PDB file of all heavy atoms in Angstrom:
ATOM      1  N   SER A  38     -34.253   6.134  42.601  1.00  0.00           N
ATOM      2  CA  SER A  38     -33.322   5.063  42.908  1.00  0.00           C
ATOM      3  C   SER A  38     -33.535   3.914  41.928  1.00  0.00           C
ATOM      4  O   SER A  38     -34.551   3.843  41.236  1.00  0.00           O
ATOM      5  CB  SER A  38     -33.496   4.575  44.338  1.00  0.00           C
ATOM      6  OG  SER A  38     -34.760   3.955  44.519  1.00  0.00           O
ATOM      7  N   GLY A  39     -32.563   3.026  41.869  1.00  0.00           N
ATOM      8  CA  GLY A  39     -32.669   1.856  41.022  1.00  0.00           C
ATOM      9  C   GLY A  39     -32.176   2.046  39.601  1.00  0.00           C
ATOM     10  O   GLY A  39     -32.111   1.072  38.849  1.00  0.00           O
ATOM     11  N   GLY A  40     -31.837   3.265  39.212  1.00  0.00           N
ATOM     12  CA  GLY A  40     -31.325   3.522  37.884  1.00  0.00           C
ATOM     13  C   GLY A  40     -32.337   3.391  36.769  1.00  0.00           C
ATOM     14  O   GLY A  40     -31.959   3.303  35.594  1.00  0.00           O
ATOM     15  N   ARG A  41     -33.610   3.389  37.090  1.00  0.00           N
ATOM     16  CA  ARG A  41     -34.649   3.236  36.070  1.00  0.00           C
ATOM     17  C   ARG A  41     -34.838   4.529  35.294  1.00  0.00           C
ATOM     18  O   ARG A  41     -34.917   5.608  35.874  1.00  0.00           O
ATOM     19  CB  ARG A  41     -35.961   2.822  36.714  1.00  0.00           C
ATOM     20  CG  ARG A  41     -35.955   1.431  37.332  1.00  0.00           C
ATOM     21  CD  ARG A  41     -37.248   1.166  38.080  1.00  0.00           C
ATOM     22  NE  ARG A  41     -37.397   2.073  39.207  1.00  0.00           N
ATOM     23  CZ  ARG A  41     -38.486   2.161  39.962  1.00  0.00           C
ATOM     24  NH1 ARG A  41     -39.533   1.388  39.694  1.00  0.00           N
ATOM     25  NH2 ARG A  41     -38.533   3.009  40.974  1.00  0.00           N
ATOM     26  N   THR A  42     -34.922   4.414  33.972  1.00  0.00           N
ATOM     27  CA  THR A  42     -35.191   5.544  33.099  1.00  0.00           C
ATOM     28  C   THR A  42     -36.256   5.160  32.093  1.00  0.00           C
ATOM     29  O   THR A  42     -36.495   3.978  31.828  1.00  0.00           O
ATOM     30  CB  THR A  42     -33.934   6.011  32.353  1.00  0.00           C
ATOM     31  OG1 THR A  42     -33.406   4.919  31.583  1.00  0.00           O
ATOM     32  CG2 THR A  42     -32.868   6.490  33.332  1.00  0.00           C
ATOM     33  N   ASN A  43     -36.891   6.169  31.511  1.00  0.00           N
ATOM     34  CA  ASN A  43     -37.916   5.962  30.506  1.00  0.00           C
ATOM     35  C   ASN A  43     -37.819   7.102  29.496  1.00  0.00           C
ATOM     36  O   ASN A  43     -37.620   8.254  29.887  1.00  0.00           O
ATOM     37  CB  ASN A  43     -39.304   5.927  31.143  1.00  0.00           C
ATOM     38  CG  ASN A  43     -40.379   5.466  30.187  1.00  0.00           C
ATOM     39  OD1 ASN A  43     -40.110   4.739  29.241  1.00  0.00           O
ATOM     40  ND2 ASN A  43     -41.615   5.879  30.442  1.00  0.00           N
ATOM     41  N   TYR A  44     -37.955   6.767  28.203  1.00  0.00           N
ATOM     42  CA  TYR A  44     -37.823   7.759  27.147  1.00  0.00           C
ATOM     43  C   TYR A  44     -38.959   7.642  26.155  1.00  0.00           C
ATOM     44  O   TYR A  44     -39.466   6.551  25.886  1.00  0.00           O
ATOM     45  CB  TYR A  44     -36.510   7.577  26.382  1.00  0.00           C
ATOM     46  CG  TYR A  44     -35.272   7.806  27.201  1.00  0.00           C
ATOM     47  CD1 TYR A  44     -34.628   6.751  27.837  1.00  0.00           C
ATOM     48  CD2 TYR A  44     -34.736   9.082  27.333  1.00  0.00           C
ATOM     49  CE1 TYR A  44     -33.486   6.955  28.594  1.00  0.00           C
ATOM     50  CE2 TYR A  44     -33.595   9.295  28.083  1.00  0.00           C
ATOM     51  CZ  TYR A  44     -32.973   8.232  28.708  1.00  0.00           C
ATOM     52  OH  TYR A  44     -31.838   8.450  29.453  1.00  0.00           O
ATOM     53  N   ALA A  45     -39.341   8.784  25.602  1.00  0.00           N
ATOM     54  CA  ALA A  45     -40.271   8.772  24.494  1.00  0.00           C
ATOM     55  C   ALA A  45     -39.606   8.137  23.279  1.00  0.00           C
ATOM     56  O   ALA A  45     -38.397   8.270  23.074  1.00  0.00           O
ATOM     57  CB  ALA A  45     -40.718  10.192  24.163  1.00  0.00           C
ATOM     58  N   ASP A  46     -40.400   7.443  22.455  1.00  0.00           N
ATOM     59  CA  ASP A  46     -39.842   6.794  21.274  1.00  0.00           C
ATOM     60  C   ASP A  46     -39.131   7.789  20.360  1.00  0.00           C
ATOM     61  O   ASP A  46     -38.138   7.448  19.715  1.00  0.00           O
ATOM     62  CB  ASP A  46     -40.945   6.076  20.496  1.00  0.00           C
ATOM     63  CG  ASP A  46     -41.453   4.842  21.213  1.00  0.00           C
ATOM     64  OD1 ASP A  46     -40.747   4.335  22.101  1.00  0.00           O
ATOM     65  OD2 ASP A  46     -42.560   4.384  20.877  1.00  0.00           O
ATOM     66  N   SER A  47     -39.613   9.006  20.304  1.00  0.00           N
ATOM     67  CA  SER A  47     -39.061   9.996  19.403  1.00  0.00           C
ATOM     68  C   SER A  47     -37.648  10.446  19.774  1.00  0.00           C
ATOM     69  O   SER A  47     -36.951  11.022  18.935  1.00  0.00           O
ATOM     70  CB  SER A  47     -39.981  11.221  19.333  1.00  0.00           C
ATOM     71  OG  SER A  47     -40.130  11.811  20.612  1.00  0.00           O
ATOM     72  N   VAL A  48     -37.216  10.193  21.022  1.00  0.00           N
ATOM     73  CA  VAL A  48     -35.898  10.650  21.459  1.00  0.00           C
ATOM     74  C   VAL A  48     -34.978   9.516  21.870  1.00  0.00           C
ATOM     75  O   VAL A  48     -33.807   9.769  22.195  1.00  0.00           O
ATOM     76  CB  VAL A  48     -36.007  11.665  22.615  1.00  0.00           C
ATOM     77  CG1 VAL A  48     -36.912  12.819  22.234  1.00  0.00           C
ATOM     78  CG2 VAL A  48     -36.498  10.991  23.892  1.00  0.00           C
ATOM     79  N   LYS A  49     -35.445   8.284  21.861  1.00  0.00           N
ATOM     80  CA  LYS A  49     -34.610   7.145  22.251  1.00  0.00           C
ATOM     81  C   LYS A  49     -33.372   7.067  21.372  1.00  0.00           C
ATOM     82  O   LYS A  49     -33.443   7.190  20.159  1.00  0.00           O
ATOM     83  CB  LYS A  49     -35.400   5.845  22.148  1.00  0.00           C
ATOM     84  CG  LYS A  49     -36.423   5.645  23.244  1.00  0.00           C
ATOM     85  CD  LYS A  49     -37.145   4.310  23.087  1.00  0.00           C
ATOM     86  CE  LYS A  49     -38.158   4.102  24.194  1.00  0.00           C
ATOM     87  NZ  LYS A  49     -38.911   2.831  24.024  1.00  0.00           N
ATOM     88  N   GLY A  50     -32.231   6.863  22.017  1.00  0.00           N
ATOM     89  CA  GLY A  50     -30.973   6.790  21.303  1.00  0.00           C
ATOM     90  C   GLY A  50     -30.325   8.123  21.041  1.00  0.00           C
ATOM     91  O   GLY A  50     -29.161   8.170  20.623  1.00  0.00           O
ATOM     92  N   ARG A  51     -31.048   9.214  21.268  1.00  0.00           N
ATOM     93  CA  ARG A  51     -30.510  10.558  21.045  1.00  0.00           C
ATOM     94  C   ARG A  51     -30.401  11.369  22.332  1.00  0.00           C
ATOM     95  O   ARG A  51     -29.463  12.146  22.489  1.00  0.00           O
ATOM     96  CB  ARG A  51     -31.370  11.324  20.036  1.00  0.00           C
ATOM     97  CG  ARG A  51     -31.454  10.671  18.664  1.00  0.00           C
ATOM     98  CD  ARG A  51     -32.133  11.595  17.657  1.00  0.00           C
ATOM     99  NE  ARG A  51     -33.514  11.906  18.040  1.00  0.00           N
ATOM    100  CZ  ARG A  51     -33.968  13.132  18.280  1.00  0.00           C
ATOM    101  NH1 ARG A  51     -33.153  14.177  18.173  1.00  0.00           N
ATOM    102  NH2 ARG A  51     -35.238  13.329  18.612  1.00  0.00           N
ATOM    103  N   PHE A  52     -31.369  11.215  23.235  1.00  0.00           N
ATOM    104  CA  PHE A  52     -31.407  11.987  24.472  1.00  0.00           C
ATOM    105  C   PHE A  52     -31.052  11.096  25.658  1.00  0.00           C
ATOM    106  O   PHE A  52     -31.364   9.896  25.670  1.00  0.00           O
ATOM    107  CB  PHE A  52     -32.800  12.576  24.713  1.00  0.00           C
ATOM    108  CG  PHE A  52     -33.203  13.680  23.768  1.00  0.00           C
ATOM    109  CD1 PHE A  52     -32.469  13.967  22.631  1.00  0.00           C
ATOM    110  CD2 PHE A  52     -34.335  14.424  24.031  1.00  0.00           C
ATOM    111  CE1 PHE A  52     -32.844  14.976  21.768  1.00  0.00           C
ATOM    112  CE2 PHE A  52     -34.726  15.437  23.180  1.00  0.00           C
ATOM    113  CZ  PHE A  52     -33.981  15.720  22.043  1.00  0.00           C
ATOM    114  N   THR A  53     -30.440  11.683  26.687  1.00  0.00           N
ATOM    115  CA  THR A  53     -30.097  10.963  27.903  1.00  0.00           C
ATOM    116  C   THR A  53     -30.419  11.824  29.119  1.00  0.00           C
ATOM    117  O   THR A  53     -29.944  12.957  29.213  1.00  0.00           O
ATOM    118  CB  THR A  53     -28.610  10.583  27.937  1.00  0.00           C
ATOM    119  OG1 THR A  53     -28.282   9.793  26.792  1.00  0.00           O
ATOM    120  CG2 THR A  53     -28.298   9.777  29.197  1.00  0.00           C
ATOM    121  N   ILE A  54     -31.212  11.284  30.037  1.00  0.00           N
ATOM    122  CA  ILE A  54     -31.496  11.968  31.292  1.00  0.00           C
ATOM    123  C   ILE A  54     -30.533  11.463  32.349  1.00  0.00           C
ATOM    124  O   ILE A  54     -30.226  10.272  32.406  1.00  0.00           O
ATOM    125  CB  ILE A  54     -32.961  11.766  31.724  1.00  0.00           C
ATOM    126  CG1 ILE A  54     -33.278  12.607  32.970  1.00  0.00           C
ATOM    127  CG2 ILE A  54     -33.274  10.302  31.961  1.00  0.00           C
ATOM    128  CD1 ILE A  54     -34.755  12.593  33.356  1.00  0.00           C
ATOM    129  N   SER A  55     -30.039  12.360  33.177  1.00  0.00           N
ATOM    130  CA  SER A  55     -29.129  11.990  34.250  1.00  0.00           C
ATOM    131  C   SER A  55     -29.327  12.939  35.419  1.00  0.00           C
ATOM    132  O   SER A  55     -30.015  13.959  35.300  1.00  0.00           O
ATOM    133  CB  SER A  55     -27.669  12.014  33.770  1.00  0.00           C
ATOM    134  OG  SER A  55     -27.289  13.319  33.370  1.00  0.00           O
ATOM    135  N   ARG A  56     -28.728  12.592  36.544  1.00  0.00           N
ATOM    136  CA  ARG A  56     -28.864  13.440  37.725  1.00  0.00           C
ATOM    137  C   ARG A  56     -27.579  13.418  38.530  1.00  0.00           C
ATOM    138  O   ARG A  56     -26.852  12.425  38.555  1.00  0.00           O
ATOM    139  CB  ARG A  56     -30.052  12.992  38.587  1.00  0.00           C
ATOM    140  CG  ARG A  56     -29.916  11.594  39.179  1.00  0.00           C
ATOM    141  CD  ARG A  56     -31.251  11.081  39.680  1.00  0.00           C
ATOM    142  NE  ARG A  56     -31.841  11.952  40.680  1.00  0.00           N
ATOM    143  CZ  ARG A  56     -33.121  11.925  41.058  1.00  0.00           C
ATOM    144  NH1 ARG A  56     -33.947  11.061  40.483  1.00  0.00           N
ATOM    145  NH2 ARG A  56     -33.564  12.761  41.992  1.00  0.00           N
ATOM    146  N   ASP A  57     -27.306  14.520  39.192  1.00  0.00           N
ATOM    147  CA  ASP A  57     -26.179  14.656  40.099  1.00  0.00           C
ATOM    148  C   ASP A  57     -26.760  15.150  41.416  1.00  0.00           C
ATOM    149  O   ASP A  57     -26.981  16.348  41.593  1.00  0.00           O
ATOM    150  CB  ASP A  57     -25.138  15.619  39.548  1.00  0.00           C
ATOM    151  CG  ASP A  57     -23.866  15.654  40.375  1.00  0.00           C
ATOM    152  OD1 ASP A  57     -23.908  15.318  41.567  1.00  0.00           O
ATOM    153  OD2 ASP A  57     -22.811  16.021  39.818  1.00  0.00           O
ATOM    154  N   ASN A  58     -27.012  14.228  42.327  1.00  0.00           N
ATOM    155  CA  ASN A  58     -27.652  14.597  43.581  1.00  0.00           C
ATOM    156  C   ASN A  58     -26.778  15.512  44.434  1.00  0.00           C
ATOM    157  O   ASN A  58     -27.293  16.340  45.188  1.00  0.00           O
ATOM    158  CB  ASN A  58     -28.020  13.338  44.372  1.00  0.00           C
ATOM    159  CG  ASN A  58     -29.179  12.587  43.756  1.00  0.00           C
ATOM    160  OD1 ASN A  58     -29.996  13.155  43.037  1.00  0.00           O
ATOM    161  ND2 ASN A  58     -29.266  11.297  44.039  1.00  0.00           N
ATOM    162  N   ALA A  59     -25.455  15.377  44.326  1.00  0.00           N
ATOM    163  CA  ALA A  59     -24.560  16.247  45.071  1.00  0.00           C
ATOM    164  C   ALA A  59     -24.721  17.695  44.653  1.00  0.00           C
ATOM    165  O   ALA A  59     -24.563  18.607  45.471  1.00  0.00           O
ATOM    166  CB  ALA A  59     -23.116  15.799  44.899  1.00  0.00           C
ATOM    167  N   LYS A  60     -25.031  17.929  43.379  1.00  0.00           N
ATOM    168  CA  LYS A  60     -25.239  19.276  42.866  1.00  0.00           C
ATOM    169  C   LYS A  60     -26.710  19.663  42.835  1.00  0.00           C
ATOM    170  O   LYS A  60     -27.046  20.778  42.431  1.00  0.00           O
ATOM    171  CB  LYS A  60     -24.649  19.404  41.464  1.00  0.00           C
ATOM    172  CG  LYS A  60     -23.146  19.213  41.411  1.00  0.00           C
ATOM    173  CD  LYS A  60     -22.624  19.373  39.991  1.00  0.00           C
ATOM    174  CE  LYS A  60     -21.117  19.219  39.942  1.00  0.00           C
ATOM    175  NZ  LYS A  60     -20.600  19.352  38.553  1.00  0.00           N
ATOM    176  N   ASN A  61     -27.588  18.735  43.221  1.00  0.00           N
ATOM    177  CA  ASN A  61     -29.026  18.985  43.232  1.00  0.00           C
ATOM    178  C   ASN A  61     -29.511  19.425  41.852  1.00  0.00           C
ATOM    179  O   ASN A  61     -30.310  20.365  41.724  1.00  0.00           O
ATOM    180  CB  ASN A  61     -29.384  20.035  44.286  1.00  0.00           C
ATOM    181  CG  ASN A  61     -30.702  19.736  44.982  1.00  0.00           C
ATOM    182  OD1 ASN A  61     -31.105  18.586  45.116  1.00  0.00           O
ATOM    183  ND2 ASN A  61     -31.379  20.787  45.438  1.00  0.00           N
ATOM    184  N   THR A  62     -29.037  18.727  40.828  1.00  0.00           N
ATOM    185  CA  THR A  62     -29.289  19.116  39.447  1.00  0.00           C
ATOM    186  C   THR A  62     -29.617  17.888  38.600  1.00  0.00           C
ATOM    187  O   THR A  62     -29.037  16.817  38.791  1.00  0.00           O
ATOM    188  CB  THR A  62     -28.077  19.846  38.852  1.00  0.00           C
ATOM    189  OG1 THR A  62     -27.801  21.014  39.637  1.00  0.00           O
ATOM    190  CG2 THR A  62     -28.341  20.269  37.418  1.00  0.00           C
ATOM    191  N   VAL A  63     -30.539  18.062  37.659  1.00  0.00           N
ATOM    192  CA  VAL A  63     -30.904  17.044  36.683  1.00  0.00           C
ATOM    193  C   VAL A  63     -30.550  17.570  35.301  1.00  0.00           C
ATOM    194  O   VAL A  63     -30.675  18.771  35.032  1.00  0.00           O
ATOM    195  CB  VAL A  63     -32.396  16.694  36.774  1.00  0.00           C
ATOM    196  CG1 VAL A  63     -32.776  15.667  35.725  1.00  0.00           C
ATOM    197  CG2 VAL A  63     -32.730  16.174  38.158  1.00  0.00           C
ATOM    198  N   TYR A  64     -30.123  16.670  34.413  1.00  0.00           N
ATOM    199  CA  TYR A  64     -29.669  17.061  33.090  1.00  0.00           C
ATOM    200  C   TYR A  64     -30.441  16.317  32.005  1.00  0.00           C
ATOM    201  O   TYR A  64     -30.975  15.228  32.223  1.00  0.00           O
ATOM    202  CB  TYR A  64     -28.179  16.763  32.905  1.00  0.00           C
ATOM    203  CG  TYR A  64     -27.288  17.395  33.941  1.00  0.00           C
ATOM    204  CD1 TYR A  64     -26.869  16.671  35.057  1.00  0.00           C
ATOM    205  CD2 TYR A  64     -26.868  18.708  33.812  1.00  0.00           C
ATOM    206  CE1 TYR A  64     -26.058  17.242  36.009  1.00  0.00           C
ATOM    207  CE2 TYR A  64     -26.051  19.293  34.765  1.00  0.00           C
ATOM    208  CZ  TYR A  64     -25.647  18.559  35.860  1.00  0.00           C
ATOM    209  OH  TYR A  64     -24.838  19.139  36.806  1.00  0.00           O
ATOM    210  N   LEU A  65     -30.469  16.922  30.830  1.00  0.00           N
ATOM    211  CA  LEU A  65     -30.966  16.260  29.638  1.00  0.00           C
ATOM    212  C   LEU A  65     -29.968  16.529  28.521  1.00  0.00           C
ATOM    213  O   LEU A  65     -29.894  17.647  28.007  1.00  0.00           O
ATOM    214  CB  LEU A  65     -32.355  16.760  29.244  1.00  0.00           C
ATOM    215  CG  LEU A  65     -32.986  16.060  28.040  1.00  0.00           C
ATOM    216  CD1 LEU A  65     -33.313  14.604  28.388  1.00  0.00           C
ATOM    217  CD2 LEU A  65     -34.238  16.788  27.574  1.00  0.00           C
ATOM    218  N   GLN A  66     -29.197  15.507  28.174  1.00  0.00           N
ATOM    219  CA  GLN A  66     -28.253  15.606  27.069  1.00  0.00           C
ATOM    220  C   GLN A  66     -28.988  15.293  25.780  1.00  0.00           C
ATOM    221  O   GLN A  66     -29.568  14.217  25.643  1.00  0.00           O
ATOM    222  CB  GLN A  66     -27.088  14.634  27.259  1.00  0.00           C
ATOM    223  CG  GLN A  66     -26.072  14.642  26.128  1.00  0.00           C
ATOM    224  CD  GLN A  66     -25.311  15.942  26.036  1.00  0.00           C
ATOM    225  OE1 GLN A  66     -24.867  16.471  27.050  1.00  0.00           O
ATOM    226  NE2 GLN A  66     -25.171  16.473  24.832  1.00  0.00           N
ATOM    227  N   MET A  67     -28.963  16.215  24.829  1.00  0.00           N
ATOM    228  CA  MET A  67     -29.693  16.079  23.578  1.00  0.00           C
ATOM    229  C   MET A  67     -28.694  16.081  22.428  1.00  0.00           C
ATOM    230  O   MET A  67     -28.045  17.097  22.163  1.00  0.00           O
ATOM    231  CB  MET A  67     -30.707  17.207  23.407  1.00  0.00           C
ATOM    232  CG  MET A  67     -31.678  17.342  24.575  1.00  0.00           C
ATOM    233  SD  MET A  67     -32.946  18.606  24.292  1.00  0.00           S
ATOM    234  CE  MET A  67     -31.902  20.071  24.245  1.00  0.00           C
ATOM    235  N   ASN A  68     -28.568  14.947  21.753  1.00  0.00           N
ATOM    236  CA  ASN A  68     -27.672  14.802  20.620  1.00  0.00           C
ATOM    237  C   ASN A  68     -28.470  14.619  19.335  1.00  0.00           C
ATOM    238  O   ASN A  68     -29.646  14.260  19.359  1.00  0.00           O
ATOM    239  CB  ASN A  68     -26.742  13.604  20.818  1.00  0.00           C
ATOM    240  CG  ASN A  68     -25.834  13.751  22.016  1.00  0.00           C
ATOM    241  OD1 ASN A  68     -25.416  14.855  22.360  1.00  0.00           O
ATOM    242  ND2 ASN A  68     -25.502  12.633  22.653  1.00  0.00           N
ATOM    243  N   SER A  69     -27.812  14.842  18.213  1.00  0.00           N
ATOM    244  CA  SER A  69     -28.438  14.672  16.894  1.00  0.00           C
ATOM    245  C   SER A  69     -29.779  15.378  16.824  1.00  0.00           C
ATOM    246  O   SER A  69     -30.788  14.811  16.393  1.00  0.00           O
ATOM    247  CB  SER A  69     -28.595  13.178  16.575  1.00  0.00           C
ATOM    248  OG  SER A  69     -27.345  12.517  16.588  1.00  0.00           O
ATOM    249  N   LEU A  70     -29.800  16.619  17.224  1.00  0.00           N
ATOM    250  CA  LEU A  70     -31.048  17.370  17.286  1.00  0.00           C
ATOM    251  C   LEU A  70     -31.668  17.542  15.906  1.00  0.00           C
ATOM    252  O   LEU A  70     -30.960  17.697  14.903  1.00  0.00           O
ATOM    253  CB  LEU A  70     -30.815  18.727  17.929  1.00  0.00           C
ATOM    254  CG  LEU A  70     -30.657  18.686  19.454  1.00  0.00           C
ATOM    255  CD1 LEU A  70     -30.039  19.972  19.972  1.00  0.00           C
ATOM    256  CD2 LEU A  70     -32.012  18.449  20.109  1.00  0.00           C
ATOM    257  N   LYS A  71     -32.989  17.513  15.887  1.00  0.00           N
ATOM    258  CA  LYS A  71     -33.770  17.654  14.670  1.00  0.00           C
ATOM    259  C   LYS A  71     -34.679  18.871  14.788  1.00  0.00           C
ATOM    260  O   LYS A  71     -35.025  19.282  15.891  1.00  0.00           O
ATOM    261  CB  LYS A  71     -34.628  16.401  14.438  1.00  0.00           C
ATOM    262  CG  LYS A  71     -33.858  15.097  14.399  1.00  0.00           C
ATOM    263  CD  LYS A  71     -34.810  13.919  14.300  1.00  0.00           C
ATOM    264  CE  LYS A  71     -34.071  12.602  14.282  1.00  0.00           C
ATOM    265  NZ  LYS A  71     -35.005  11.450  14.196  1.00  0.00           N
ATOM    266  N   PRO A  72     -35.104  19.436  13.659  1.00  0.00           N
ATOM    267  CA  PRO A  72     -36.029  20.571  13.729  1.00  0.00           C
ATOM    268  C   PRO A  72     -37.290  20.264  14.535  1.00  0.00           C
ATOM    269  O   PRO A  72     -37.812  21.158  15.214  1.00  0.00           O
ATOM    270  CB  PRO A  72     -36.353  20.849  12.262  1.00  0.00           C
ATOM    271  CG  PRO A  72     -35.128  20.407  11.535  1.00  0.00           C
ATOM    272  CD  PRO A  72     -34.653  19.188  12.280  1.00  0.00           C
ATOM    273  N   GLU A  73     -37.768  19.027  14.502  1.00  0.00           N
ATOM    274  CA  GLU A  73     -38.959  18.663  15.252  1.00  0.00           C
ATOM    275  C   GLU A  73     -38.736  18.627  16.761  1.00  0.00           C
ATOM    276  O   GLU A  73     -39.691  18.468  17.526  1.00  0.00           O
ATOM    277  CB  GLU A  73     -39.523  17.316  14.777  1.00  0.00           C
ATOM    278  CG  GLU A  73     -38.484  16.215  14.690  1.00  0.00           C
ATOM    279  CD  GLU A  73     -37.936  16.035  13.285  1.00  0.00           C
ATOM    280  OE1 GLU A  73     -37.614  17.050  12.638  1.00  0.00           O
ATOM    281  OE2 GLU A  73     -37.835  14.877  12.831  1.00  0.00           O
ATOM    282  N   ASP A  74     -37.486  18.775  17.221  1.00  0.00           N
ATOM    283  CA  ASP A  74     -37.200  18.889  18.645  1.00  0.00           C
ATOM    284  C   ASP A  74     -37.408  20.309  19.163  1.00  0.00           C
ATOM    285  O   ASP A  74     -37.314  20.532  20.372  1.00  0.00           O
ATOM    286  CB  ASP A  74     -35.762  18.463  18.946  1.00  0.00           C
ATOM    287  CG  ASP A  74     -35.506  16.995  18.659  1.00  0.00           C
ATOM    288  OD1 ASP A  74     -36.387  16.162  18.980  1.00  0.00           O
ATOM    289  OD2 ASP A  74     -34.430  16.671  18.127  1.00  0.00           O
ATOM    290  N   THR A  75     -37.667  21.247  18.280  1.00  0.00           N
ATOM    291  CA  THR A  75     -37.884  22.631  18.683  1.00  0.00           C
ATOM    292  C   THR A  75     -39.077  22.722  19.618  1.00  0.00           C
ATOM    293  O   THR A  75     -40.180  22.298  19.276  1.00  0.00           O
ATOM    294  CB  THR A  75     -38.106  23.518  17.456  1.00  0.00           C
ATOM    295  OG1 THR A  75     -36.919  23.531  16.653  1.00  0.00           O
ATOM    296  CG2 THR A  75     -38.440  24.939  17.874  1.00  0.00           C
ATOM    297  N   ALA A  76     -38.860  23.266  20.814  1.00  0.00           N
ATOM    298  CA  ALA A  76     -39.909  23.346  21.825  1.00  0.00           C
ATOM    299  C   ALA A  76     -39.366  24.052  23.055  1.00  0.00           C
ATOM    300  O   ALA A  76     -38.162  24.293  23.172  1.00  0.00           O
ATOM    301  CB  ALA A  76     -40.402  21.945  22.210  1.00  0.00           C
ATOM    302  N   VAL A  77     -40.262  24.368  23.976  1.00  0.00           N
ATOM    303  CA  VAL A  77     -39.872  24.776  25.314  1.00  0.00           C
ATOM    304  C   VAL A  77     -39.795  23.511  26.161  1.00  0.00           C
ATOM    305  O   VAL A  77     -40.748  22.727  26.199  1.00  0.00           O
ATOM    306  CB  VAL A  77     -40.864  25.772  25.931  1.00  0.00           C
ATOM    307  CG1 VAL A  77     -40.456  26.119  27.361  1.00  0.00           C
ATOM    308  CG2 VAL A  77     -40.939  27.039  25.087  1.00  0.00           C
ATOM    309  N   TYR A  78     -38.676  23.313  26.838  1.00  0.00           N
ATOM    310  CA  TYR A  78     -38.444  22.120  27.643  1.00  0.00           C
ATOM    311  C   TYR A  78     -38.590  22.450  29.121  1.00  0.00           C
ATOM    312  O   TYR A  78     -38.032  23.433  29.611  1.00  0.00           O
ATOM    313  CB  TYR A  78     -37.049  21.556  27.374  1.00  0.00           C
ATOM    314  CG  TYR A  78     -36.940  20.839  26.051  1.00  0.00           C
ATOM    315  CD1 TYR A  78     -36.958  21.549  24.856  1.00  0.00           C
ATOM    316  CD2 TYR A  78     -36.838  19.452  25.989  1.00  0.00           C
ATOM    317  CE1 TYR A  78     -36.880  20.901  23.635  1.00  0.00           C
ATOM    318  CE2 TYR A  78     -36.754  18.794  24.778  1.00  0.00           C
ATOM    319  CZ  TYR A  78     -36.775  19.519  23.603  1.00  0.00           C
ATOM    320  OH  TYR A  78     -36.690  18.866  22.393  1.00  0.00           O
TER     321      TYR A  78
END
C-alpha cells in the first residue's frame, strides 16, 4: 500500500514494477534492455 516503489540504480528509468491485485499478478516492464540485463529473474 501507499504506492511506494524502490529500484536498483542499474534499472532506474528503464524498468517499472506494478501490480494488479484483481488479477493477483505482479509485473516487471523492462525497456531499453541491455546485454548486462541477461539473467534469470
